[in-house]
Amino acid sequence: MDFVIRLQELAERVRQAKDLVLTEEATKTALILPFLHALGYDVFNPAEVVPEYTADVGFKTREKVDFAIMREGQMVMLIECKSYGSTLDPGKCGQLMRYFNATPSARIGILTDGVRYLFFTDADNTPNIMDLSPFMEFDVASPDESLIPELRKLTKSKWDVDAAMSAAAELKYTRAIKELLGSELLSPSDEFVRLFAKKVCSGSLTSRVLDVFAGRVKRAFQQLVHDQINSRLKTAMAVPQTTAHDPEIKTETQESKDAESSVVTTVEELEGYHIVKSILRRTIDPKRIAMRDTLSYCGVLLDDNNRKPICRLHFNGKQKYVGFFNAAKDEERIPIASVDDIYAHADRLKETIGYYVPVEPEDKDV
């Protein structure tokens, strides 16, 4: 099964189970072990996943870390678990840090509450000295599509820790810069205000002037974000709407090369596409399900064929719609509140596949 589909199924499971988990042991069983399984590790094989990994660390003896992942007899990943909803403070994972620092084969340290996973390595320091801040944070209940390729490098089948570590510094500092920019956007610091004020103001930057410019900088950033969102919406709305009866003609005749270069596939569109693949995985080979994005909608096709539309994701506006097709290829747009609502229309998607290929009844026991 495709790794992305496994993560989508795990996300749904975690969303349903997390509020029922009340203890750390329940967190391990209901949330963390399924995550390790999704990464491809055999959680029932102590040669791969070692619970309560014990060793002597410096002056402390018989300390335990919750899980250790083994490869070729070497411990490569350490996982410290907290009960769901606990504050994940990187400064208070001393046990994980001691193990990491004392184990030459350790490459990755993970601090988790079963939903949020903080990934650490030694990108900043000498080998085997764990960094104080994580290089990646992954929320299983709401996966960030941009981080899935990095997470894939830590799976059993695609293990490439060297590539993961080479990307760690980039991920870590990009994340830190994004957080800093977000903080400055909400409440600009004096240094940030001064940086812009001295480029546009020729006068003396007194305290009073800086106070005035603090509001101007904040409003300018907010306006910039607003303008970029507005520009994208105008671009999407400028594309003529497709006729309801012939969905494939629009894609073939109106998508010029210039329009294609303006298409930006969003995280929600990717999530919707993978949900459709997950729903249909037992109905049709997932490899036959393709995505083709346009300015006005994101199309999901069978065999990447415009004449075999499965559905359309209309996610550009404030109200999201999913377009479903009947045997005559008439499109019916159904409003949804969130991407997860696509699961409620699983039967409609399976029915559409039946228009193109014979569909065998599903084996409910599989």
Side-chain angles (χ1 to χ4, degrees):
M1 185 186 297
D2 182 81
F3 179 56
V4 174
I5 295 176
R6 292 205 304 270
L7 285 181
Q8 290 288 351
E9 293 181 343
L10 177 64
E12 180 63 22
R13 174 175 181 165
V14 168
R15 285 192 289 266
Q16 294 176 358
K18 61 186 177 69
D19 292 327
L20 303 176
V21 173
L22 303 178
T23 65
E24 183 176 316
E25 287 304 313
T27 299
K28 294 177 185 178
T29 302
L31 303 179
I32 297 172
L33 287 177
F35 175 75
L36 297 179
H37 178 71
L39 294 184
Y41 296 103
D42 184 353
V43 298
F44 301 108
N45 182 1
E48 278 188 28
V49 180
V50 183
E52 299 294 311
Y53 186 81
T54 306
D56 295 342
V57 181
F59 62 89
K60 290 183 175 287
T61 61
R62 312 305 294 170
E63 276 202 307
K64 295 179 180 180
V65 69
D66 295 293
F67 293 104
I69 303 297
M70 312 293 287
R71 290 186 66 88
E72 299 177 353
Q74 296 289 315
M75 189 270 292
V76 294
M77 266 198 299
L78 293 167
I79 304 165
E80 182 175 340
C81 308
K82 304 293 183 183
S83 58
Y84 168 66
S86 298
T87 300
L88 298 182
D89 185 353
K92 295 183 179 179
C93 56
Q95 184 171 298
L96 177 64
M97 185 173 293
R98 285 193 295 272
Y99 263 102
F100 188 98
N101 296 351
T103 309
S105 60
R107 310 301 299 276
I108 301 292
I110 301 174
L111 178 64
T112 180
D113 70 344
V115 176
R116 293 172 58 220
Y117 288 77
L118 307 186
F119 291 81
F120 299 82
T121 187
D122 52 4
D124 283 349
N125 300 296
T126 54
N128 291 115
I129 303 298
M130 195 177 89
D131 298 340
L132 296 177
S133 57
F135 70 86
M136 180 170 69
E137 179 177 338
F138 192 83
D139 187 329
V140 175
S142 182
D144 183 340
E145 294 281 352
S146 68
L147 296 179
I148 290 178
E150 303 307 322
L151 187 62
R152 190 192 298 269
K153 295 170 185 174
L154 303 179
T155 62
K156 179 181 177 180
S157 61
K158 301 293 184 180
W159 178 261
D160 190 350
V161 73
D162 292 331
M165 293 184 69
S166 67
E170 180 71 18
L171 287 169
K172 179 177 180 178
Y173 292 117
T174 299
R175 177 170 174 262
I177 291 170
K178 285 171 61 178
E179 291 177 352
L180 179 61
L181 287 174
S183 175
E184 294 288 1
L185 177 61
L186 291 174
S187 181
S189 65
D190 290 344
E191 293 81 4
F192 195 70
V193 173
R194 187 180 295 275
L195 174 67
F196 291 96
K198 69 181 182 181
K199 291 181 179 295
V200 298
C201 178
S202 58
S204 177
L205 298 179
T206 63
S207 297
R208 178 176 172 277
V209 172
L210 289 176
D211 286 342
V212 173
F213 265 93
R216 291 171 178 169
V217 170
K218 183 175 181 178
R219 288 190 294 274
F221 264 91
Q222 291 172 341
Q223 186 64 49
L224 176 62
V225 173
H226 177 271
D227 289 348
Q228 290 185 338
I229 294 173
N230 208 30
S231 176
R232 184 181 176 195
L233 289 174
K234 286 181 178 178
T235 302
M237 292 172 66
V239 178
Q241 293 296 313
T242 180
T243 57
H245 188 70
D246 204 353
E248 61 272 9
I249 292 178
K250 176 183 190 302
T251 305
E252 293 177 345
T253 61
Q254 294 182 4
E255 286 182 16
S256 66
K257 292 182 179 179
D258 289 340
E260 289 178 355
S261 66
S262 301
V263 172
V264 177
T265 302
T266 67
V267 171
E268 285 188 324
E269 287 170 339
L270 285 169
E271 185 177 356
Y273 165 62
H274 288 300
I275 287 175
V276 173
K277 288 185 69 176
S278 177
I279 290 171
L280 298 175
R281 70 189 186 283
R282 294 178 183 170
T283 305
I284 197 76
D285 184 350
K287 294 179 181 178
R288 296 181 64 184
I289 301 174
M291 180 180 72
R292 194 178 296 186
D293 204 358
T294 72
L295 284 172
S296 55
Y297 63 85
C298 179
V300 182
L301 310 171
L302 181 64
D303 299 327
D304 201 16
N305 187 335
N306 294 324
R307 297 185 181 277
K308 297 179 181 179
I310 298 173
C311 68
R312 286 178 174 173
L313 309 177
H314 299 273
F315 291 175
N316 289 333
K318 184 176 182 180
Q319 172 64 60
K320 297 181 180 64
Y321 296 89
V322 178
F324 297 100
F325 295 95
N326 59 20
K329 297 181 183 176
D330 296 320
E331 181 184 4
E332 178 187 5
R333 295 190 185 188
I334 305 295
I336 60 174
S338 72
V339 180
D340 289 332
D341 290 349
I342 297 174
Y343 284 109
H345 302 281
D347 291 342
R348 189 80 180 267
L349 292 168
K350 295 171 185 177
E351 181 182 355
T352 302
I353 292 294
Y355 301 147
Y356 310 126
V357 295
V359 175
E360 296 292 334
E362 289 187 11
D363 184 350
K364 299 298 184 180
D365 296 329
V366 175

mmCIF file of all heavy atoms in Angstrom, residues 166-193:
data_model
loop_
_atom_site.group_PDB
_atom_site.id
_atom_site.type_symbol
_atom_site.label_atom_id
_atom_site.label_comp_id
_atom_site.label_asym_id
_atom_site.label_seq_id
_atom_site.Cartn_x
_atom_site.Cartn_y
_atom_site.Cartn_z
ATOM 1 N N SER A 166 20.873 15.265 5.929
ATOM 2 C CA SER A 166 21.343 16.368 5.093
ATOM 3 C C SER A 166 20.249 17.411 4.907
ATOM 4 O O SER A 166 20.521 18.594 4.715
ATOM 5 C CB SER A 166 21.806 15.841 3.729
ATOM 6 O OG SER A 166 20.712 15.322 2.989
ATOM 7 N N ALA A 167 18.987 16.952 4.966
ATOM 8 C CA ALA A 167 17.853 17.882 4.842
ATOM 9 C C ALA A 167 17.446 18.468 6.187
ATOM 10 O O ALA A 167 16.665 19.428 6.237
ATOM 11 C CB ALA A 167 16.660 17.166 4.208
ATOM 12 N N ALA A 168 17.979 17.904 7.276
ATOM 13 C CA ALA A 168 17.546 18.315 8.607
ATOM 14 C C ALA A 168 17.808 19.791 8.874
ATOM 15 O O ALA A 168 16.950 20.506 9.400
ATOM 16 C CB ALA A 168 18.226 17.453 9.672
ATOM 17 N N ALA A 169 19.022 20.247 8.531
ATOM 18 C CA ALA A 169 19.352 21.650 8.775
ATOM 19 C C ALA A 169 18.436 22.576 7.977
ATOM 20 O O ALA A 169 17.941 23.589 8.497
ATOM 21 C CB ALA A 169 20.814 21.919 8.428
ATOM 22 N N GLU A 170 18.178 22.219 6.718
ATOM 23 C CA GLU A 170 17.285 23.034 5.883
ATOM 24 C C GLU A 170 15.894 23.104 6.498
ATOM 25 O O GLU A 170 15.293 24.181 6.610
ATOM 26 C CB GLU A 170 17.217 22.435 4.482
ATOM 27 C CG GLU A 170 16.319 23.184 3.508
ATOM 28 C CD GLU A 170 16.899 24.522 3.086
ATOM 29 O OE1 GLU A 170 18.111 24.740 3.255
ATOM 30 O OE2 GLU A 170 16.119 25.364 2.593
ATOM 31 N N LEU A 171 15.360 21.941 6.900
ATOM 32 C CA LEU A 171 14.030 21.908 7.505
ATOM 33 C C LEU A 171 13.987 22.696 8.809
ATOM 34 O O LEU A 171 13.054 23.464 9.066
ATOM 35 C CB LEU A 171 13.633 20.456 7.779
ATOM 36 C CG LEU A 171 13.268 19.596 6.573
ATOM 37 C CD1 LEU A 171 13.160 18.134 6.986
ATOM 38 C CD2 LEU A 171 11.959 20.061 5.953
ATOM 39 N N LYS A 172 15.020 22.501 9.625
ATOM 40 C CA LYS A 172 15.048 23.134 10.939
ATOM 41 C C LYS A 172 15.052 24.652 10.831
ATOM 42 O O LYS A 172 14.255 25.348 11.478
ATOM 43 C CB LYS A 172 16.277 22.652 11.705
ATOM 44 C CG LYS A 172 16.430 23.275 13.081
ATOM 45 C CD LYS A 172 17.642 22.697 13.802
ATOM 46 C CE LYS A 172 17.807 23.324 15.173
ATOM 47 N NZ LYS A 172 18.949 22.734 15.908
ATOM 48 N N TYR A 173 15.939 25.177 9.991
ATOM 49 C CA TYR A 173 16.065 26.626 9.926
ATOM 50 C C TYR A 173 14.930 27.264 9.127
ATOM 51 O O TYR A 173 14.516 28.387 9.423
ATOM 52 C CB TYR A 173 17.433 26.999 9.359
ATOM 53 C CG TYR A 173 18.551 26.628 10.308
ATOM 54 C CD1 TYR A 173 19.526 25.701 9.965
ATOM 55 C CD2 TYR A 173 18.599 27.174 11.592
ATOM 56 C CE1 TYR A 173 20.531 25.345 10.863
ATOM 57 C CE2 TYR A 173 19.593 26.825 12.486
ATOM 58 C CZ TYR A 173 20.554 25.908 12.122
ATOM 59 O OH TYR A 173 21.524 25.546 13.007
ATOM 60 N N THR A 174 14.419 26.549 8.126
ATOM 61 C CA THR A 174 13.251 27.064 7.411
ATOM 62 C C THR A 174 12.062 27.172 8.361
ATOM 63 O O THR A 174 11.323 28.164 8.351
ATOM 64 C CB THR A 174 12.894 26.147 6.229
ATOM 65 O OG1 THR A 174 13.994 26.099 5.320
ATOM 66 C CG2 THR A 174 11.661 26.662 5.495
ATOM 67 N N ARG A 175 11.885 26.136 9.188
ATOM 68 C CA ARG A 175 10.797 26.149 10.176
ATOM 69 C C ARG A 175 10.977 27.297 11.164
ATOM 70 O O ARG A 175 10.023 28.013 11.498
ATOM 71 C CB ARG A 175 10.775 24.808 10.902
ATOM 72 C CG ARG A 175 9.757 24.683 12.009
ATOM 73 C CD ARG A 175 9.690 23.225 12.475
ATOM 74 N NE ARG A 175 8.830 23.078 13.638
ATOM 75 C CZ ARG A 175 9.268 23.014 14.883
ATOM 76 N NH1 ARG A 175 10.561 23.084 15.139
ATOM 77 N NH2 ARG A 175 8.436 22.872 15.887
ATOM 78 N N ALA A 176 12.210 27.509 11.621
ATOM 79 C CA ALA A 176 12.477 28.580 12.586
ATOM 80 C C ALA A 176 12.210 29.950 11.964
ATOM 81 O O ALA A 176 11.653 30.842 12.623
ATOM 82 C CB ALA A 176 13.918 28.486 13.076
ATOM 83 N N ILE A 177 12.593 30.108 10.699
ATOM 84 C CA ILE A 177 12.380 31.394 10.017
ATOM 85 C C ILE A 177 10.884 31.648 9.825
ATOM 86 O O ILE A 177 10.397 32.777 10.009
ATOM 87 C CB ILE A 177 13.125 31.418 8.670
ATOM 88 C CG1 ILE A 177 14.647 31.450 8.921
ATOM 89 C CG2 ILE A 177 12.713 32.630 7.837
ATOM 90 C CD1 ILE A 177 15.479 31.235 7.678
ATOM 91 N N LYS A 178 10.132 30.606 9.451
ATOM 92 C CA LYS A 178 8.678 30.758 9.298
ATOM 93 C C LYS A 178 8.025 31.173 10.610
ATOM 94 O O LYS A 178 7.155 32.047 10.639
ATOM 95 C CB LYS A 178 8.072 29.444 8.795
ATOM 96 C CG LYS A 178 8.329 29.149 7.330
ATOM 97 C CD LYS A 178 7.891 27.750 6.965
ATOM 98 C CE LYS A 178 6.423 27.536 7.193
ATOM 99 N NZ LYS A 178 5.997 26.166 6.782
ATOM 100 N N GLU A 179 8.457 30.541 11.704
ATOM 101 C CA GLU A 179 7.897 30.902 13.010
ATOM 102 C C GLU A 179 8.262 32.338 13.379
ATOM 103 O O GLU A 179 7.436 33.073 13.936
ATOM 104 C CB GLU A 179 8.411 29.930 14.076
ATOM 105 C CG GLU A 179 7.846 28.521 13.933
ATOM 106 C CD GLU A 179 8.429 27.560 14.951
ATOM 107 O OE1 GLU A 179 9.382 27.969 15.670
ATOM 108 O OE2 GLU A 179 7.950 26.409 15.040
ATOM 109 N N LEU A 180 9.490 32.728 13.064
ATOM 110 C CA LEU A 180 9.925 34.090 13.361
ATOM 111 C C LEU A 180 9.133 35.108 12.546
ATOM 112 O O LEU A 180 8.687 36.136 13.073
ATOM 113 C CB LEU A 180 11.427 34.215 13.068
ATOM 114 C CG LEU A 180 12.047 35.596 13.309
ATOM 115 C CD1 LEU A 180 11.894 36.003 14.776
ATOM 116 C CD2 LEU A 180 13.526 35.592 12.916
ATOM 117 N N LEU A 181 8.936 34.811 11.246
ATOM 118 C CA LEU A 181 8.164 35.724 10.405
ATOM 119 C C LEU A 181 6.723 35.822 10.888
ATOM 120 O O LEU A 181 6.126 36.906 10.880
ATOM 121 C CB LEU A 181 8.210 35.252 8.947
ATOM 122 C CG LEU A 181 9.529 35.462 8.207
ATOM 123 C CD1 LEU A 181 9.482 34.815 6.833
ATOM 124 C CD2 LEU A 181 9.832 36.956 8.066
ATOM 125 N N GLY A 182 6.152 34.677 11.298
ATOM 126 C CA GLY A 182 4.789 34.700 11.825
ATOM 127 C C GLY A 182 4.684 35.549 13.073
ATOM 128 O O GLY A 182 3.724 36.310 13.251
ATOM 129 N N SER A 183 5.689 35.438 13.945
ATOM 130 C CA SER A 183 5.698 36.238 15.172
ATOM 131 C C SER A 183 5.846 37.721 14.852
ATOM 132 O O SER A 183 5.164 38.567 15.437
ATOM 133 C CB SER A 183 6.848 35.770 16.077
ATOM 134 O OG SER A 183 6.959 36.590 17.216
ATOM 135 N N GLU A 184 6.715 38.034 13.912
ATOM 136 C CA GLU A 184 6.923 39.439 13.531
ATOM 137 C C GLU A 184 5.676 40.013 12.861
ATOM 138 O O GLU A 184 5.369 41.197 13.004
ATOM 139 C CB GLU A 184 8.120 39.557 12.591
ATOM 140 C CG GLU A 184 9.469 39.213 13.219
ATOM 141 C CD GLU A 184 9.946 40.278 14.197
ATOM 142 O OE1 GLU A 184 9.232 41.271 14.416
ATOM 143 O OE2 GLU A 184 11.054 40.120 14.737
ATOM 144 N N LEU A 185 4.955 39.176 12.137
ATOM 145 C CA LEU A 185 3.736 39.633 11.483
ATOM 146 C C LEU A 185 2.681 40.046 12.506
ATOM 147 O O LEU A 185 1.977 41.038 12.342
ATOM 148 C CB LEU A 185 3.190 38.517 10.582
ATOM 149 C CG LEU A 185 1.867 38.795 9.857
ATOM 150 C CD1 LEU A 185 2.000 39.991 8.936
ATOM 151 C CD2 LEU A 185 1.425 37.566 9.077
ATOM 152 N N LEU A 186 2.606 39.290 13.603
ATOM 153 C CA LEU A 186 1.615 39.589 14.636
ATOM 154 C C LEU A 186 2.042 40.761 15.518
ATOM 155 O O LEU A 186 1.225 41.605 15.891
ATOM 156 C CB LEU A 186 1.382 38.348 15.506
ATOM 157 C CG LEU A 186 0.683 37.178 14.824
ATOM 158 C CD1 LEU A 186 0.650 35.970 15.749
ATOM 159 C CD2 LEU A 186 -0.728 37.556 14.394
ATOM 160 N N SER A 187 3.340 40.793 15.840
ATOM 161 C CA SER A 187 3.842 41.837 16.734
ATOM 162 C C SER A 187 5.278 42.178 16.359
ATOM 163 O O SER A 187 6.228 41.600 16.893
ATOM 164 C CB SER A 187 3.773 41.355 18.195
ATOM 165 O OG SER A 187 4.235 42.356 19.069
ATOM 166 N N PRO A 188 5.470 43.115 15.414
ATOM 167 C CA PRO A 188 6.813 43.435 14.924
ATOM 168 C C PRO A 188 7.745 43.921 16.042
ATOM 169 O O PRO A 188 7.370 44.767 16.861
ATOM 170 C CB PRO A 188 6.562 44.544 13.898
ATOM 171 C CG PRO A 188 5.128 44.414 13.511
ATOM 172 C CD PRO A 188 4.433 43.911 14.739
ATOM 173 N N SER A 189 8.943 43.370 16.075
ATOM 174 C CA SER A 189 9.936 43.797 17.058
ATOM 175 C C SER A 189 10.579 45.112 16.615
ATOM 176 O O SER A 189 10.468 45.515 15.449
ATOM 177 C CB SER A 189 11.019 42.728 17.212
ATOM 178 O OG SER A 189 11.747 42.588 16.004
ATOM 179 N N ASP A 190 11.282 45.765 17.533
ATOM 180 C CA ASP A 190 11.944 47.026 17.197
ATOM 181 C C ASP A 190 12.966 46.825 16.085
ATOM 182 O O ASP A 190 13.087 47.664 15.178
ATOM 183 C CB ASP A 190 12.635 47.602 18.443
ATOM 184 C CG ASP A 190 11.630 48.103 19.475
ATOM 185 O OD1 ASP A 190 10.447 48.285 19.105
ATOM 186 O OD2 ASP A 190 12.031 48.302 20.642
ATOM 187 N N GLU A 191 13.725 45.725 16.158
ATOM 188 C CA GLU A 191 14.746 45.465 15.128
ATOM 189 C C GLU A 191 14.103 45.271 13.759
ATOM 190 O O GLU A 191 14.613 45.748 12.744
ATOM 191 C CB GLU A 191 15.552 44.214 15.501
ATOM 192 C CG GLU A 191 16.419 44.355 16.750
ATOM 193 C CD GLU A 191 15.627 44.167 18.031
ATOM 194 O OE1 GLU A 191 14.413 43.842 17.948
ATOM 195 O OE2 GLU A 191 16.214 44.336 19.109
ATOM 196 N N PHE A 192 12.961 44.569 13.736
ATOM 197 C CA PHE A 192 12.273 44.306 12.473
ATOM 198 C C PHE A 192 11.725 45.606 11.896
ATOM 199 O O PHE A 192 11.843 45.882 10.692
ATOM 200 C CB PHE A 192 11.135 43.313 12.727
ATOM 201 C CG PHE A 192 10.568 42.693 11.489
ATOM 202 C CD1 PHE A 192 11.306 41.780 10.748
ATOM 203 C CD2 PHE A 192 9.290 43.009 11.071
ATOM 204 C CE1 PHE A 192 10.780 41.199 9.609
ATOM 205 C CE2 PHE A 192 8.752 42.438 9.925
ATOM 206 C CZ PHE A 192 9.496 41.515 9.192
ATOM 207 N N VAL A 193 11.115 46.428 12.742
ATOM 208 C CA VAL A 193 10.572 47.712 12.290
ATOM 209 C C VAL A 193 11.690 48.616 11.786
ATOM 210 O O VAL A 193 11.572 49.263 10.734
ATOM 211 C CB VAL A 193 9.800 48.398 13.440
ATOM 212 C CG1 VAL A 193 9.384 49.821 13.041
ATOM 213 C CG2 VAL A 193 8.574 47.581 13.826
#
